[in-house]
Amino acid sequence: MSLVSVHNEWDPLEEVIVGIADGARVPSPDPGLYAVDYADDLESAAEIPTGPYDPRVVEEANEDLEGFVELLRGEGVTVRRPEVTDHSRRFGTPEWSADGEYNYCPRDVLLPIGETVIEAPMTLRSRYFEPFAYRDILREYFDSGAHWISAPKPRLPDATYNADRTAGPVLRNFEPVFDAANVLRLGRDILYQISCSGNEYGFRWLRRVLGDGYRVHPVAGVYEGTHLDTTITPVRPGLVVLNPERIREDQLPPPLQGWDIIWASEIADTGYTGAFPRGSVAMGMNFVMVSPQLAVVGDTQHALIRELERHGVTVAPLRMRHPRTLSGGFHCVSVDIRRRGTLQDLG
């Protein structure tokens, strides 16, 4: 029986991978890192505050992750963790060299859909070999009967990236490039965000690979930044949390039209450590559903917690001190591998 089986963002969770903060660092400057994460705020790539994060940040982030893991295990969920990696080591291709970042956000790396897990063709060079930290786990999933595939490994030449956001998309369409966190699952409907962390070519690749059993919908012309889970967070069929700073109701993709909406209009700022945050204030709405009745939310997000509870959702408020520093809330730092449920057509 495949250990991988997940069809949406809310069915009762049975197995999950949760990241680690060990060795986390801001990678060395390169055209992609600058274009994707810093071009709106810094004059040049040379200003990127590269290097290891403050040891206190890493220690506290790991403490918060352990609290999350403890809650999940208390709910009967199997929790896996990636291998510790030396992210300071350099690697490369014939066209470029880079160092690494972290194993904090498995949501960006792996995309489970049904009984298939896909290694994403990630946007940043620094994360090129990040899937290797999960290879022992992936091998076990494969041996259980899961399908394990990798998108074409991208070349990521300098010309992939456009730092001038007024002159076309950040990611050019030379090859499929996307982070797994650009995707949300709604049964047979799959949302794919076209943005600075997922290009149109990647949308075409995913749609073709998934085939006629799924409808892959582009989410384009809304939020142009990284990842979809600080713009749209499904709670259960018929209920979704939306970020009003990034999307309007008339911009909703077809599968979400007619759903009840919780507008995350009062997101609490958790602050950040260091010269520059890797994540926005919107990290506060980056929460994860353990089941349709239970959400794990940052404990400072009082307005969101009240709204979820008003809609009949039990909330487990947990400490998450560095989501902006490390660019990862509870949804980012976990990737659901198995949820109890079947493939549904909600369209």
Side-chain angles (χ1 to χ4, degrees), residues 242-314:
L242 300 178
N243 184 339
E245 299 295 321
R246 297 181 174 176
I247 192 169
R248 303 187 310 269
E249 188 169 358
D250 62 1
Q251 295 175 311
L252 282 176
L256 294 176
Q257 293 175 7
W259 285 32
D260 292 335
I261 298 170
I262 296 173
W263 292 103
S265 55
E266 299 179 53
I267 303 175
D269 187 354
T270 58
Y272 60 91
T273 298
F276 194 86
R278 296 299 303 280
S280 72
V281 174
M283 279 295 162
M285 68 162 279
N286 189 265
F287 65 94
V288 69
M289 301 303 298
V290 179
S291 73
Q293 296 80 36
L294 177 62
V296 177
V297 182
D299 61 359
T300 63
Q301 304 304 322
H302 304 299
L304 177 57
I305 290 170
R306 285 196 301 271
E307 282 299 302
L308 287 168
E309 290 177 338
R310 192 171 70 83
H311 284 79
V313 178
T314 299

Side-chain angles (χ1 to χ4, degrees), residues 43-285:
E43 290 295 324
S44 71
E47 298 179 49
I48 295 174
T50 187
Y53 287 103
D54 185 321
R56 177 185 60 83
V57 169
V58 173
E59 180 181 356
E60 291 179 349
N62 273 331
E63 288 175 359
D64 295 347
L65 290 170
E66 288 301 325
F68 182 33
V69 168
E70 182 179 356
L71 179 138
L72 292 171
R73 287 177 173 156
E75 294 292 324
V77 179
T78 298
V79 181
R80 310 293 187 100
R81 315 297 295 275
E83 295 178 2
V84 175
T85 304
D86 181 359
H87 299 288
S88 68
R89 296 182 64 182
R90 296 198 69 83
F91 53 84
T93 74
E95 298 179 83
W96 49 261
S97 67
D99 52 10
E101 185 169 347
Y102 55 24
N103 295 328
Y104 184 67
C105 290
R107 179 75 57 175
D108 305 349
V109 184
L110 302 176
L111 176 57
I113 297 180
E115 295 187 356
T116 298
V117 58
I118 302 169
E119 294 184 28
M122 298 186 71
T123 308
L124 296 179
R125 294 170 177 174
S126 56
R127 306 187 73 179
Y128 203 77
F129 290 111
E130 202 168 307
F132 283 19
Y134 304 88
R135 281 295 170 88
D136 286 347
I137 300 172
L138 290 168
R139 189 165 54 246
E140 184 176 344
Y141 292 159
F142 177 77
D143 289 343
S144 77
H147 300 283
W148 170 21
I149 64 174
S150 177
K153 210 67 175 166
R155 287 175 55 196
L156 301 179
D158 289 359
T160 299
Y161 307 102
N162 168 33
D164 183 359
R165 299 194 180 193
T166 66
V170 172
L171 292 179
R172 297 188 175 96
N173 278 304
F174 295 137
E175 56 191 346
V177 177
F178 65 89
D179 291 352
N182 275 55
V183 179
L184 291 172
R185 299 153 308 199
L186 310 171
R188 292 195 183 275
D189 291 295
I190 305 294
L191 306 185
Y192 177 103
Q193 177 190 12
I194 297 175
S195 70
C196 73
S197 55
N199 64 8
E200 191 268 344
Y201 216 133
F203 160 73
R204 288 164 53 198
W205 180 88
L206 183 63
R207 181 174 60 182
R208 192 169 302 173
V209 164
L210 292 180
D212 295 338
Y214 292 90
R215 297 178 291 265
V216 185
H217 304 266
V219 181
V222 288
Y223 173 58
E224 299 295 333
T226 58
H227 306 159
L228 192 52
D229 52 4
T230 52
T231 300
I232 300 172
T233 303
V235 177
R236 60 178 182 245
L239 180 63
V240 64
V241 175
L242 300 178
N243 184 339
E245 299 295 321
R246 297 181 174 176
I247 192 169
R248 303 187 310 269
E249 188 169 358
D250 62 1
Q251 295 175 311
L252 282 176
L256 294 176
Q257 293 175 7
W259 285 32
D260 292 335
I261 298 170
I262 296 173
W263 292 103
S265 55
E266 299 179 53
I267 303 175
D269 187 354
T270 58
Y272 60 91
T273 298
F276 194 86
R278 296 299 303 280
S280 72
V281 174
M283 279 295 162
M285 68 162 279

